[in-house]
Amino acid sequence: MYLEIVSPEATLFSGEVTSVAVPGVNGEFEMLNNHVPIISTLKAGFVKISGNVELDEEVKDKFTKNAKGATLLKINSGTLELKNNKLIVLAD
């Protein structure tokens, strides 16, 4: 699946990933390849990205890695849309 994470300042990440877990307002959920289309609002928490994530130097400091090797981005809120294996996260 293709993931794009956009903040008010810049595009933080764009590329192919294996899965993405997000802090939805009704609880955390994960999306994999061929997930049904979805639009959701997000609350404060972490976007967890699995796969071969290569970050640009100017945004590397916004991301961390967890013990399982997932790449994490802390957000305050946001929205997402997933359609046709393209996930766009608008993060604040």
Side-chain angles (χ1 to χ4, degrees):
M1 126 177 47
Y2 188 83
L3 170 65
E4 186 172 5
I5 302 176
V6 180
S7 76
E9 296 83 28
T11 297
L12 302 178
F13 175 78
S14 59
E16 289 290 326
V17 298
T18 306
S19 69
V20 179
V22 294
V25 293
N26 293 320
E28 184 175 329
F29 63 96
E30 183 174 22
M31 294 155 288
L32 302 166
N33 204 29
N34 297 316
H35 193 284
V36 297
I38 186 171
I39 296 174
S40 179
T41 54
L42 306 174
K43 64 180 183 177
F46 290 93
V47 175
K48 298 175 191 155
I49 310 163
S50 297
N52 185 20
V53 177
E54 295 184 24
L55 301 168
D56 292 335
E57 284 298 320
E58 56 270 6
V59 298
K60 273 189 176 180
D61 62 330
K62 297 183 183 304
F63 293 84
T64 59
K65 292 265 189 188
N66 70 8
K68 296 180 181 178
T71 302
L72 306 176
L73 172 66
K74 185 175 171 101
I75 63 169
N76 295 317
S77 64
T79 58
L80 69 78
E81 177 185 26
L82 172 61
K83 183 170 68 172
N84 298 326
N85 284 328
K86 182 175 182 183
L87 173 59
I88 300 172
V89 176
L90 304 175
D92 188 23

